[in-house]
Amino acid sequence: MMQREFKTALMMSLLLHLGFVVILVISNFAPSPSLKPTPVTVSASSEPAAPIEAVAIDQQQYEQRVQQLRDQREQAQRAEQQRIADLERRARAAEQARAEEEQRIRRLEQQRRQQDEAARQAAAAAAEARRQQQQEAERARQAEQQRQQAEAEARAAAERRRQEQEAAERAEAERVQRERDAQLRAQQERELQERLEREAQARQAARQRQTVSEVERFTAMIRDRIQQNFRQDERMRGRQCRINIRLASNGFVTNVSVLDGDQLVCDAALRAVERAGNLPVSQDPAVFEQLRNINLTMAPEL
């Protein structure tokens, strides 16, 4: 707004100076009124005295006309001088007004700059105040967050201690109970083991008795089978032979050998084993284990 007013005043001042210069140029080049006397025509038929009077009249008119022109020119010059003086006064007034306007504009511009600077400083101060307020709020928020976090950590620590205490108490109670249970189980296991051992010993004894009985029974059966195929001779009377027989699980004789004894009896015993073929064996593994490698004493029944 101030710049637009300044430009308007400057334009008006320039227009006034330009008009003043144009007027001066026109006034210097304008043609001056003619001061030449008006020619007087003398009539041929006039009387001699008449020309003298006409000349006198014309001279007087001429001087009056000249004086009139001089007065008009002086009046015009005075008017022009007055107009020029008015223009100069107006130009000075316009220049003064322009200078005052420029000064006012400078003052306004300075005031505007001062106001802008004050506004900038106020805005900066407000921004700084907001920043400090935000920092204070952030510090307060962080402090509150830290306080809440510390309280939460303290509660969590107390809860952990309580849980640990309860867990320790439960663990101790469970340990005591486990020890009691272990002692009870150990006692029960000892009693059970002792009972099982007694039962096992009884079964083993019975089994051994049964096995021995079965071994004796199958040994007798094997001897009878061989004896049935034994070819006796009177020369064998009072003689015997010890042989070793190895059997397969189906009673097949895998090997037979002489341990000691009479040769005649031993030969007859070997042939009797061959003729007997498969020998009777027990399906009980324990019994068969004692029969698979058996020693027999063979003697003729004379």
Side-chain angles (χ1 to χ4, degrees):
M1 182 67 184
M2 292 185 292
Q3 292 181 353
R4 187 161 54 250
E5 293 178 356
F6 173 73
K7 290 182 179 179
T8 302
L10 182 62
M11 185 62 68
M12 292 178 62
S13 177
L14 291 175
L15 290 175
L16 289 174
H17 282 77
L18 182 62
F20 176 70
V21 171
V22 170
I23 292 172
L24 290 179
V25 171
I26 293 174
S27 63
N28 289 331
F29 286 93
S32 299
S34 177
L35 298 178
K36 294 181 180 181
T38 303
V40 179
T41 303
V42 180
S43 176
S45 60
S46 297
E47 294 180 0
I52 297 173
E53 186 178 356
V55 171
I57 292 172
D58 291 338
Q59 184 66 32
Q60 185 178 1
Q61 291 179 351
Y62 171 75
E63 291 178 356
Q64 290 177 356
R65 180 59 178 170
V66 169
Q67 186 62 37
Q68 184 180 1
L69 291 174
R70 287 176 179 173
D71 293 340
Q72 290 178 355
R73 184 171 182 178
E74 290 178 357
Q75 186 178 359
Q77 288 178 353
R78 285 194 299 272
E80 182 66 18
Q81 291 176 355
Q82 183 64 33
R83 187 179 64 82
I84 291 171
D86 291 340
L87 289 174
E88 290 178 350
R89 180 179 54 77
R90 292 176 182 177
R92 287 192 299 272
E95 181 66 19
Q96 184 177 0
R98 183 188 64 79
E100 292 176 354
E101 182 64 18
E102 289 180 353
Q103 186 176 3
R104 186 180 70 83
I105 290 172
R106 286 193 297 271
R107 286 196 303 271
L108 291 176
E109 182 66 20
Q110 184 177 2
Q111 291 176 0
R112 184 187 64 78
R113 287 195 298 269
Q114 292 176 353
Q115 291 174 356
D116 292 343
E117 180 64 19
R120 186 188 64 79
Q121 293 178 358
E128 179 65 19
R130 286 194 301 271
R131 186 182 66 81
Q132 292 180 356
Q133 185 178 3
Q134 290 175 356
Q135 290 179 350
E136 289 294 332
E138 180 63 20
R139 285 193 291 270
R141 186 188 66 80
Q142 292 179 356
E144 178 64 19
Q145 184 177 1
Q146 292 175 357
R147 184 187 65 78
Q148 294 177 358
Q149 183 177 1
E151 291 180 354
E153 290 177 353
R155 289 194 298 270
E159 181 64 19
R160 284 195 302 271
R161 289 192 297 271
R162 184 186 65 79
Q163 292 178 356
E164 290 174 356
Q165 181 66 27
E166 291 180 354
E169 292 175 355
R170 287 195 302 271
E172 180 63 20
E174 291 174 356
R175 185 187 65 79
V176 173
Q177 186 63 37
R178 284 196 301 270
E179 289 181 354
R180 292 175 180 174
D181 294 342
Q183 292 174 358
L184 179 59
R185 284 195 303 270
Q187 183 178 356
Q188 293 174 350
E189 289 176 357
R190 285 194 303 271
E191 294 175 354
L192 177 61
Q193 186 66 28
E194 291 174 356
R195 182 172 61 83
L196 292 176
E197 288 178 356
R198 290 192 299 270
E199 292 177 356
Q201 290 174 358
R203 286 194 303 270
Q204 185 176 4
R207 179 66 176 167
Q208 287 176 353
R209 289 192 299 271
Q210 181 182 2
T211 301
V212 170
S213 176
E214 286 293 307
V215 169
E216 292 176 350
R217 185 171 71 87
F218 275 95
T219 301
M221 292 170 61
I222 292 171
R223 181 180 289 109
D224 290 342
R225 176 72 63 85
I226 297 172
Q227 194 68 40
Q228 292 173 4
N229 293 280
F230 188 80
R231 303 290 176 86
Q232 302 181 28
D233 190 336
E234 211 41 55
R235 293 173 297 176
M236 299 177 186
R237 187 182 296 275
R239 301 177 183 181
Q240 63 181 12
C241 178
R242 290 181 67 247
I243 62 175
N244 175 263
I245 302 174
R246 294 185 181 183
L247 300 173
S249 60
N250 59 357
F252 178 76
V253 178
T254 60
N255 187 49
V256 60
S257 62
V258 175
L259 296 178
D260 57 55
D262 182 75
Q263 181 66 38
L264 182 60
V265 177
C266 289
D267 291 340
L270 293 177
R271 287 192 296 269
V273 172
E274 291 177 359
R275 284 192 293 269
N278 288 358
L279 299 177
V281 292
S282 175
Q283 299 299 318
D284 188 341
V287 176
F288 173 74
E289 185 65 27
Q290 298 188 33
L291 294 174
R292 66 188 303 173
N293 189 2
I294 185 172
N295 296 328
L296 294 176
T297 301
M298 300 301 298
E301 296 178 354
L302 296 174

